[in-house]
Amino acid sequence: MPTFRHGKNTVVLAKQYNISEYLTSVTASNSVETPETTTFSSSDRSYIAGHTEGTVSFEGLFDGTTNGVTVGATADGIDKILSDALGDSTNTVMTVSNDGGAFGRRAILLDAVETSYEVTSPLTDVIAISGGANANDGLEYGVWLTYNTAYTTATNGTAVDNSASSANGSVANLHVTTNTRSTAVTVKVQHSTDNSTWVDLITFASVSATTLTSERKTTTGTVNRYVRVQVTPTAGTGSITLSVAFSRR
Amino acid sequence: MARYRVLTGLDYPPNKRAEIGDIVEDLPAQSVKWLLADGHIEDADKPKKVVAEEPAPTPAKKAVEFKPDAKDGDKDGLVQDATIHERPVEEK
């Protein structure tokens, strides 16, 4: 029996922002160029797989709130976030989950280079935004190791079982969307063969007190069968809310 | 009891943590095999693998003009030292 999902639970994280609440539509597309290799004496056309290309396009509703400018604002709205990202030399760590934001749900990871951003003002409707991005290195399909979870103490996440190890490395996206910690926090992805002893696979840069951030890290080589996230706040107060998506290559 | 040197930071039951360089002897028996195979630990009682240092590269000799009447200024028995034309002093 298939398990269908409603689109309302789709989540989109870009850098340290959860921009889901601004968007009404998101499309993640992956394709591969297939140069033709048909030659004389062939009866059928033949092709060979070439480069893959991933893109994301989105539509949503305009919010011009600007932190530090708009009175009472504590965070930027979608217009500031997306207009800043356009042309930015630093790519955007982006994770899209049509499957919804929850542990183990499918997630699409990308190192996004924003290619367009439009704001449309209709005479009789809500101001809308739309845009798109190319995926540097393509789209990577993985799962959430943790989604929008608040941590106050050292925590080992639940293991994701891939049923076998893989040999081609991995990629992980970290999004820290809320942070009131008074001290730094270490976030790692660990892997294991036996779901008992865990070895560090990815260690993200230490997240400083109250800092909102995002980071994308890759590995090469073996990734063992089980994978989990480990969050370790140093002694202090407050909480940190973060999401980590992980994909094997 | 076997002792192992940790090469990759790891957590193991019950709630223990070992950092790179630590020597541990209480790793779960079922984990030791794959940790060794994957290179995350090594036998601490065996000497560390010493990587032989490569010999320092010989500095390239300078390409200069040949001087038939070069003098041995530093009295080391050679003329045009450290050049492509370095040679013993000719006895006259």
Side-chain angles (χ1 to χ4, degrees):
Chain A
M1 183 78 178
T3 303
F4 299 115
R5 304 280 189 214
H6 197 284
K8 68 180 182 180
N9 296 317
T10 296
V11 295
V12 181
L13 302 187
K15 294 185 176 176
Q16 67 268 41
Y17 307 103
N18 184 341
I19 59 174
S20 313
E21 58 188 353
Y22 301 106
L23 301 184
T24 57
S25 170
V26 62
T27 302
S29 304
N30 216 6
S31 61
V32 60
E33 60 186 23
T34 55
E36 186 169 351
T37 55
T38 311
T39 59
F40 294 130
S41 79
S42 300
S43 299
D44 302 305
R45 290 184 179 275
S46 59
Y47 302 88
I48 188 170
H51 297 102
T52 58
E53 181 173 18
T55 61
V56 167
S57 58
F58 46 83
E59 296 176 349
L61 305 178
F62 176 87
D63 178 353
T65 302
T66 304
N67 189 19
V69 176
T70 306
V71 175
T74 56
D76 290 331
I78 190 72
D79 182 62
K80 181 75 165 65
I81 295 168
L82 294 181
S83 60
D84 280 358
L86 192 65
D88 191 345
S89 59
T90 302
N91 294 349
T92 298
V93 179
M94 181 177 276
T95 309
V96 177
S97 181
N98 311 92
D99 203 16
F103 166 79
R105 293 283 181 88
R106 298 282 291 165
I108 300 169
L109 295 73
L110 65 151
D111 182 31
V113 181
E114 192 174 344
T115 54
S116 65
Y117 174 58
E118 294 176 354
V119 181
T120 306
S121 291
L123 178 62
T124 59
D125 207 345
V126 179
I127 300 172
I129 59 105
S130 64
N134 285 341
N136 190 36
D137 284 343
L139 302 180
E140 319 239 17
Y141 297 86
V143 295
W144 291 112
L145 298 185
T146 184
Y147 176 75
N148 200 35
T149 306
Y151 295 92
T152 56
T153 59
T155 305
N156 294 324
T158 305
V160 170
D161 182 358
N162 191 56
S163 76
S165 64
S166 56
N168 300 316
S170 63
V171 56
N173 284 1
L174 165 69
H175 303 269
V176 178
T177 49
T178 307
N179 189 0
T180 61
R181 285 297 299 179
S182 60
T183 53
V185 177
T186 300
V187 182
K188 295 178 181 177
V189 174
Q190 297 183 310
H191 62 153
S192 173
T193 293
D194 55 15
N195 199 16
S196 174
T197 297
W198 292 85
V199 175
D200 296 348
L201 178 65
I202 290 172
T203 302
F204 292 103
S206 178
V207 181
S208 302
T210 71
T211 299
L212 303 182
T213 187
S214 64
E215 188 176 4
R216 172 186 171 91
K217 294 202 82 167
T218 60
T219 68
T220 57
T222 301
V223 180
N224 293 331
R225 172 176 171 175
Y226 300 93
V227 178
R228 74 178 183 186
V229 72
Q230 182 185 67
V231 181
T232 311
T234 48
T237 58
S239 71
I240 182 170
T241 299
L242 58 88
S243 303
V244 175
F246 178 83
S247 171
R248 293 169 187 266
R249 286 179 161 170
Chain B
M1 184 171 280
R3 302 180 333 125
Y4 299 98
R5 182 179 296 106
V6 175
L7 304 177
T8 310
L10 55 87
D11 293 85
Y12 59 102
N15 293 319
K16 291 193 172 181
R17 171 76 188 170
E19 299 294 347
I20 296 172
D22 289 352
I23 305 293
V24 295
E25 53 185 28
D26 55 353
L27 290 172
Q30 80 273 13
S31 300
V32 168
K33 187 178 177 183
W34 70 266
L35 290 171
L36 280 170
D38 289 0
H40 299 305
I41 59 173
E42 65 180 5
D43 190 335
D45 296 321
K46 288 184 179 174
K48 281 186 180 178
K49 289 177 184 172
V50 178
V51 180
E53 284 188 21
E54 289 184 13
T58 307
K61 295 191 173 182
K62 292 179 186 172
V64 297
E65 189 180 341
F66 180 79
K67 295 179 179 176
D69 55 348
K71 293 180 179 176
D72 182 14
D74 56 4
K75 306 295 182 190
D76 63 351
L78 299 171
V79 294
Q80 291 201 267
D81 297 26
T83 71
I84 59 174
H85 303 299
E86 180 181 281
R87 60 193 184 280
V89 177
E90 290 179 19
E91 291 182 9
K92 293 181 179 176

